Amino acid sequence: MSSLDPKEFEVDFFREMGFRRKIGKKCREAFWTLNPDFEEPQDAPCVSYWFDEIPSRERLDVSESRRRFIEFFTKRGHEYVKPRPVVARWREDLFLTIASIVVFQPHVTSGLVPPPANPLVISQPSIRLEDIDNVGLTIGRHLTSFEMAAHHAFNYPDKRVYWKDETVRFAFEFFTKELGIPEDLIVFKESWWEGGGNAGPCFEVAVGGLELATLVFMKYEVIGGDYREIPLKIVDTGYGVERIAWFTSKTPTGFHAIYGGLVSRFRDSLGVEEPDDRVMWAAFKAAGRLDPDDEHSVNEYYKTVSKAAGLSVEKAREVLEREARLYSVLDHTRTLALMLGDGIVPSNSGEGYLARLVARRTMKQLLMLGVESGLVDLVEMQVETWKADFPQLRENRDYILDAVQLEEEKFREALRRGLRLVDSMLRRRGSSIDLVKIYDSHGIPPEIVVEQAAKRGIKLHVPRNFYSMVASLHSGAPLRAEKAEEPQRDGWARRLKPTRPLFHEDPYMRRFSSKVLDCRGNLLVLEATAFYPTGGGQIHDTGRIVSGGRVYRVVDVYSLDNGVIIHVLDRNYEGSPGETIEGLIDWERRYRIMRHHTATHALLGALRRVLGSHVWQAGAEKTEGKGRLDITHHRPITREQIHAIERLVNKVIDERRPVRAMIKPKNEAEEIHGFTIYQGGVPLKPEIRIVEIEGWDTEACYGTHVSNTGEIGSFRIIGVERIQDGVVRLEYVAGGRVAEEARNLEEKLATVSSMIGSDPRSVENRLESLLKEFRETSEALKKYRDFWLKSLEERIASIEPVEGARILVIEPLEKDPRTVRAVMRKLTSTYPDLVIIAIYMGVPTSIEVAVGDSVAASLATASLVSGRLASLLGGKGGGGRTFASLKVQGPVDPKRVEEIVRDVMKR
């Protein structure tokens, strides 16, 4: 908001304790304090860090800081809620969990779903990448992964829990009684918070220059820039667990408090010399004032440290930049472990893109430290260090390390390819090159581009916030197309009551009767229907509707967001609202779809068991012909894994496991089954329809299913392909479609057998014989091509140069143009003064021209030669600097071609 109302920050507790409201003399920000000497709110960058001078009752590490916080609030009536994953599976607008309130948005904050407890306490691992470039430089103020310890209260119009006064009292008591901080050193700064579509006034609680907590009073929703007060008033707090550890530990950096002995282990592993204590404590004192986004402030920071530590400015910068890289590697490797531990698969989109960004910035920092590999070892240290705090690291250790190993390999490959690619781009575009686009498209760090540009005398600059900028561009998920964008023709149906879904009540229902609620042209809405509407990856039903002796084909079915189901008929409906119709489902088609849908759930359960729990559904389609499932996975699926997956699915089919659908409250479903239920998306409803294959797979699902796995019949994977980096597509068939697919394969085998002169039973032997002949022919052909190349080189040696260029005209017997072009390029590479013209006689006649570098630089490019030939021989063509082609009608005289080229060289 443009201005803050001071009345928002007046609480009884301040009056009782004698707090005074002040305005900072420099920062001009309002704050509340008991200390008459404070002239500024006590947080960076308004003041320097001085919390090292405040005695601590005891030193707390991260685990103990978390425990103390949770214990404090559970003793005061708050129920503990387990933390959620760092990948926000329950949100469709965010990829990562950036704060504890994200856990409750939008379901709870909108009032749609009650909170899991009220009030509650949680310590939520969170990831924010928007300040990733500042990590390390500010010695602990910025982190990409951190724990937000929080207590929340949800105040409804008819049920008040607590609000501002009690929240401030809790904070004051925690910091004074639990941590032993003197009362007059605690400052509450007035501020404003916005996020996830909500907003409200807040207090930032700071001590000795370090902000330790934020107390948000969420009372508005933000719609199109307007602030609308909401009936649900939410206490949303955030206490920095890592900052509490830093405050009590009194270490020169937050990283020493967070990681303890791991700092020294990383330092030894990376060969980073430990700086003098004077340097780091000087940095501690100066870092509070540092604005990392201001280049002048950064330069002043280095000057201040150099003066305090008795170093040159250059030496201070060198030492602190090296330390910042070390600390960022510490931070990023933990963040990467947490992301992978919660099942993110690195890729070029979504949350996978963000995981890859963290990995590649880490590897870039390692390169800057002179270390070319070893990321796997560093991440393994983080897994071992944090596995007790975050059990998912221990459970998914193998996947985490394997994914990191693969990312290292891909990064090295990107660098290898990138050097050539960047060189080519610089040659074409010069300083207009787009660093963000190159990183996004090819994964090449900007520093590499700048280094290559400098070799060409081109000056480029990497923005200091480059990775933060890229992360911001990719932090939000693209929202799905809103149902509000449904065609205007459906507006009439929105006033109708929801359609009763008979397909849920009895998925085996083949015919039914129902009253017509309304109709428009060929669109029909019934009171109840057994026709399934397209949704959840399952295609709609088809069938017939009979009314008054007239029969209509149902060609499409879809639903609106208000639960109304619309049937699309093959022609205009001639009946009227209120009459009764009979519906008949195309049962054979529906039953095939049901089999494929249940097979999809069985398959997903098998995939997670064979490939790992990181597997997540990225898309699905269930039709009568086949099923399709796209999953996140980092490596190609092997033949052995495919067989293992098929065996598991068919075993589940043979076991005839019950398949049950049930409606559960959202909180209960999440508590019992976890967030893997959201494979197909997140329904914004207080209750969720759960489909469970007993002991195998449980998902939120709207579709129709068979009643036990035995009805699937059989299962076969018919196709596996990688459709994008980190996403694999599987296609499969179930039931009678397996036999149909087998027959199709038999027919193809018979066709192939006939083509190679064999019967199906002997096809392997025949193919082996043919392949042997092919290899022998290929070897003979290679010898012929080597002989041809040698004969061409002998001809070149005898050619008399024309103006420093040797001209060779050939009519290749070789019919493969790619082979001829490879020979031409090899010859022009070996002989830079060569012009070689290949003529393929025919209608039309094709001519290809290749020139060596020295010819292209001093006499004529290939496109110039090609253009001259085209103008004199009556053809059309084009090309580039060293290679071109043209076509002319009818045959040409090779001698005439050579004369034209000689003339071009003489010009």
Side-chain angles (χ1 to χ4, degrees):
M1 298 185 82
S2 57
S3 61
L4 303 179
D5 183 356
K7 291 183 179 179
E8 291 276 17
F9 303 96
E10 294 176 357
V11 295
D12 291 342
F13 177 73
F14 288 159
R15 285 191 290 270
E16 292 172 13
M17 294 294 295
F19 275 80
R20 291 178 56 198
R21 185 176 188 267
K22 293 184 175 183
I23 303 295
K25 289 189 175 181
K26 292 182 180 178
C27 291
R28 308 306 301 165
E29 294 176 308
F31 64 99
W32 295 80
T33 180
L34 292 170
N35 197 314
D37 297 329
F38 285 167
E39 296 183 345
E40 299 292 342
Q42 296 298 295
D43 67 341
C46 290
V47 299
S48 301
Y49 291 148
W50 60 277
F51 62 86
D52 60 314
E53 302 170 22
I54 303 172
S56 290
R57 182 180 296 165
E58 58 186 310
R59 178 175 177 170
L60 306 178
D61 61 14
V62 169
S63 299
E64 184 61 16
S65 298
R66 180 197 311 116
R67 189 189 69 78
R68 289 288 185 85
F69 179 87
I70 293 171
E71 190 176 86
F72 176 86
F73 282 96
T74 52
K75 286 179 179 178
R76 287 157 180 81
H78 293 68
E79 185 177 331
Y80 173 65
V81 172
K82 291 187 294 185
R84 285 2 183 204
V86 296
V87 53
R89 302 290 192 193
W90 59 95
R91 295 284 295 266
E92 293 193 338
D93 58 335
L94 282 178
F95 293 127
L96 301 176
T97 307
I98 58 174
S100 63
I101 193 62
V102 167
V103 171
F104 310 105
Q105 291 174 318
H107 300 82
V108 176
T109 57
S110 66
L112 184 68
V113 176
N118 195 15
L120 61 85
V121 61
I122 187 173
S123 186
Q124 177 60 47
S126 305
I127 294 178
R128 293 181 190 172
L129 303 181
E130 285 76 6
D131 293 315
I132 191 171
D133 294 290
N134 296 335
V135 174
L137 178 63
T138 55
I139 70 171
R141 195 195 326 163
H142 292 94
L143 305 169
T144 59
S145 59
F146 56 93
E147 277 189 76
M148 183 175 285
H151 61 96
H152 295 279
F154 301 88
N155 297 281
Y156 294 87
D158 60 345
K159 182 186 177 183
R160 184 186 187 280
V161 182
Y162 61 78
W163 192 229
K164 296 177 184 176
D165 189 74
E166 296 92 332
T167 303
V168 171
R169 290 176 190 270
F170 280 139
F172 190 79
E173 184 181 358
F174 176 75
F175 289 125
T176 57
K177 299 290 176 32
E178 193 69 30
L179 299 188
I181 298 174
E183 295 181 350
D184 64 338
L185 299 185
I186 299 173
V187 165
F188 294 85
K189 187 178 79 173
E190 296 176 7
S191 190
W192 182 263
W193 178 92
E194 289 188 26
N198 297 112
C202 71
F203 287 114
E204 294 173 359
V205 187
V207 182
L210 187 64
E211 182 185 332
L212 295 175
T214 303
L215 317 176
V216 179
F217 306 102
M218 190 186 295
K219 56 187 292 189
Y220 300 100
E221 64 176 346
V222 186
I223 301 176
D226 294 329
Y227 296 85
R228 301 178 187 176
E229 191 161 349
I230 54 178
L232 180 58
K233 304 296 189 293
I234 302 168
V235 173
D236 168 27
T237 67
Y239 289 64
V241 172
E242 287 83 2
R243 291 194 177 193
I244 292 171
W246 188 13
F247 180 90
T248 62
S249 297
K250 304 296 187 286
T251 53
T253 79
F255 300 97
H256 289 81
I258 299 165
Y259 295 100
L262 204 57
V263 177
S264 296
R265 292 177 63 194
F266 267 52
R267 192 182 295 282
D268 293 342
S269 179
L270 301 178
V272 177
E273 182 182 350
E274 186 168 5
D276 187 277
D277 273 357
R278 287 186 308 157
V279 176
M280 295 318 299
W281 281 109
F284 173 87
K285 291 296 185 183
R289 294 278 193 181
L290 169 63
D291 180 355
D293 297 320
D294 182 344
E295 196 65 37
H296 175 73
S297 176
V298 173
N299 290 333
E300 287 300 310
Y301 166 65
Y302 291 134
K303 289 179 184 177
T304 302
V305 174
S306 71
K307 185 176 180 181
L311 300 173
S312 67
V313 175
E314 291 74 19
K315 185 62 177 177
R317 179 187 292 270
E318 176 191 330
V319 170
L320 293 177
E321 284 185 349
R322 188 173 65 237
E323 285 296 290
R325 295 192 195 285
L326 169 67
Y327 301 148
S328 68
V329 170
L330 267 164
D331 168 271
H332 295 1
T333 47
R334 182 176 81 153
T335 298
L336 185 59
L338 289 171
M339 295 174 94
L340 300 178
D342 276 336
I344 295 180
V345 174
S347 67
N348 292 327
S349 62
E351 63 269 18
Y353 179 96
L354 298 176
R356 178 161 289 168
L357 181 143
V358 174
R360 293 199 168 178
R361 187 174 193 272
T362 310
M363 289 184 279
K364 186 269 294 186
Q365 296 289 61
L366 292 175
L367 284 177
M368 303 295 279
L369 288 169
V371 179
E372 292 189 2
S373 62
L375 182 60
V376 174
D377 295 335
L378 299 176
V379 172
E380 187 174 16
M381 289 186 211
Q382 294 284 11
V383 170
E384 291 302 312
T385 299
W386 297 102
K387 64 185 180 184
D389 297 79
F390 309 111
Q392 67 270 33
L393 299 185
R394 179 180 62 250
E395 294 162 5
N396 298 315
R397 179 182 180 279
D398 291 346
Y399 162 67
I400 293 169
L401 300 183
D402 187 48
V404 172
Q405 178 67 50
L406 186 59
E407 283 304 296
E408 274 201 287
E409 294 169 8
K410 289 184 175 181
F411 182 68
R412 286 195 290 269
E413 175 62 19
L415 290 183
R416 187 185 64 77
R417 286 185 290 103
L419 294 177
R420 294 196 304 269
L421 179 67
V422 167
D423 197 53
S424 173
M425 287 182 171
L426 290 168
R427 193 167 58 242
R428 296 195 314 270
R429 303 177 192 172
S431 60
S432 63
I433 200 165
D434 188 331
L435 295 176
V436 172
K437 190 172 182 180
I438 290 176
Y439 177 82
D440 254 357
S441 302
H442 307 287
I444 304 169
E447 293 82 1
I448 302 296
V449 181
V450 170
E451 187 179 314
Q452 289 297 105
K455 294 177 182 177
R456 288 182 162 269
I458 300 171
K459 190 173 183 180
L460 296 175
H461 172 68
V462 182
R464 215 197 60 75
N465 65 337
F466 177 85
Y467 288 91
S468 302
M469 194 165 52
V470 173
S472 296
L473 292 173
H474 294 268
S475 61
L479 292 172
R480 294 183 178 181
E482 294 292 331
K483 295 233 177 160
E485 296 177 8
E486 289 160 348
Q488 289 294 319
R489 65 178 186 176
D490 297 337
W492 60 274
R494 293 189 170 278
R495 60 179 173 77
L496 303 175
K497 66 179 183 179
T499 308
R500 181 180 162 195
L502 300 176
F503 50 81
H504 279 169
E505 295 175 19
D506 180 6
Y508 291 87
M509 184 180 290
R510 305 185 186 196
R511 61 169 60 212
F512 66 97
S513 297
S514 178
K515 285 186 177 181
V516 174
L517 287 185
D518 207 345
C519 56
R520 290 290 191 280
N522 69 330
L523 305 180
L524 181 68
V525 177
L526 304 175
E527 188 176 67
T529 187
F531 284 98
Y532 182 84
T534 295
Q538 179 176 324
I539 196 169
H540 60 83
D541 283 331
T542 59
R544 291 168 290 157
I545 283 180
V546 181
S547 173
R550 293 178 290 269
V551 179
Y552 303 87
R553 286 292 304 169
V554 177
V555 296
D556 193 7
V557 189
Y558 62 95
S559 62
L560 305 182
D561 56 9
N562 64 348
V564 171
I565 296 173
I566 297 179
H567 305 73
V568 182
L569 309 180
D570 61 346
R571 64 185 191 279
N572 288 348
Y573 183 70
E574 298 177 26
S576 305
E579 66 184 20
T580 299
I581 61 90
E582 184 178 23
L584 296 94
I585 306 297
D586 284 342
W587 174 247
E588 184 177 347
R589 179 178 181 274
R590 155 75 84 77
Y591 193 55
R592 285 189 170 197
I593 295 170
M594 287 167 61
R595 283 174 141 182
H596 281 137
H597 201 150
T598 308
T600 301
H601 287 223
L603 172 60
L604 192 55
L607 287 165
R608 291 174 68 83
R609 285 165 175 81
V610 174
L611 303 180
S613 60
H614 62 277
V615 167
W616 197 268
Q617 179 177 312
E621 182 181 52
K622 284 77 73 172
T623 68
E624 72 273 22
K626 64 181 178 181
R628 170 180 62 77
L629 181 64
D630 300 339
I631 60 164
T632 56
H633 185 55
H634 59 302
R635 289 191 181 275
I637 301 178
T638 66
R639 183 181 296 274
E640 291 74 20
Q641 288 172 329
I642 291 171
H643 292 162
I645 292 162
E646 285 182 331
R647 282 194 299 272
L648 272 181
V649 175
N650 282 301
K651 181 174 182 289
V652 168
I653 292 171
D654 291 342
E655 290 168 347
R656 299 184 61 81
R657 295 181 183 230
V659 180
R660 302 185 186 92
M662 62 205 85
I663 303 297
K664 289 186 177 182
K666 180 177 181 293
N667 288 330
E668 180 186 332
E670 292 177 352
E671 179 67 26
I672 295 172
H673 306 295
F675 292 95
T676 56
I677 60 174
Y678 296 132
Q679 296 287 336
V682 187
L684 191 60
K685 296 180 180 180
E687 294 183 321
I688 299 173
R689 184 173 186 265
I690 296 292
V691 173
E692 177 188 50
I693 297 177
E694 188 178 90
W696 189 256
D697 179 79
T698 305
E699 300 177 39
C701 182
Y702 188 73
T704 56
H705 291 267
V706 296
S707 63
N708 74 77
T709 56
E711 289 189 52
I712 298 172
S714 55
F715 176 86
R716 180 70 187 275
I717 295 172
I718 60 172
V720 179
E721 66 171 324
R722 191 182 78 160
I723 59 172
Q724 68 182 62
D725 195 23
V727 179
V728 178
R729 170 167 293 173
L730 297 99
E731 293 187 336
Y732 44 92
V733 290
R737 285 287 295 118
V738 174
E740 290 176 10
E741 196 66 26
R743 281 195 297 272
N744 290 339
L745 289 175
E746 287 175 2
E747 289 172 5
K748 288 180 181 179
L749 178 60
T751 301
V752 171
S753 300
S754 177
M755 290 170 65
I756 63 174
S758 172
D759 66 79
R761 287 170 296 185
S762 306
V763 70
E764 287 184 72
N765 293 335
R766 179 61 178 148
L767 274 175
E768 188 176 337
S769 175
L770 288 173
L771 286 172
K772 182 181 179 182
E773 291 176 19
F774 175 77
R775 286 191 292 268
E776 290 171 352
T777 304
S778 296
E779 186 63 30
L781 186 59
K782 182 179 182 300
K783 290 179 180 178
Y784 151 73
R785 287 170 175 166
D786 291 342
F787 174 77
W788 181 48
L789 179 63
K790 186 177 180 182
S791 67
L792 290 176
E793 289 181 320
E794 290 173 355
R795 285 180 62 186
I796 293 167
S798 64
I799 294 174
E800 197 69 34
V802 177
E803 298 296 329
R806 289 185 282 187
I807 302 167
L808 175 64
V809 180
I810 61 174
E811 293 180 66
L813 294 175
E814 174 68 63
K815 297 304 180 185
D816 181 7
R818 291 172 299 179
T819 301
V820 177
R821 287 176 201 140
V823 169
M824 293 171 73
R825 289 193 180 98
K826 184 171 183 178
L827 289 172
T828 52
S829 175
T830 306
Y831 306 98
D833 63 340
L834 180 65
V835 179
I836 182 168
I837 302 99
I839 303 172
Y840 303 87
M841 293 294 188
V843 182
T845 293
S846 297
I847 302 176
E848 294 186 340
V849 180
V851 305
D853 277 339
S854 65
V855 176
S858 59
L859 294 173
T861 61
S863 59
L864 181 64
V865 174
S866 172
R868 185 65 176 161
L869 286 169
S871 66
L872 293 177
L873 298 176
K876 291 183 178 180
R881 181 173 173 272
T882 59
F883 187 85
S885 63
L886 69 148
K887 293 184 184 294
V888 298
Q889 294 302 318
V892 298
D893 182 359
K895 291 183 179 179
R896 172 67 174 143
V897 171
E898 185 172 346
E899 288 173 4
I900 294 171
V901 176
R902 282 177 177 274
D903 185 58
V904 172
M905 294 301 113
K906 289 177 181 178
R907 290 169 185 268

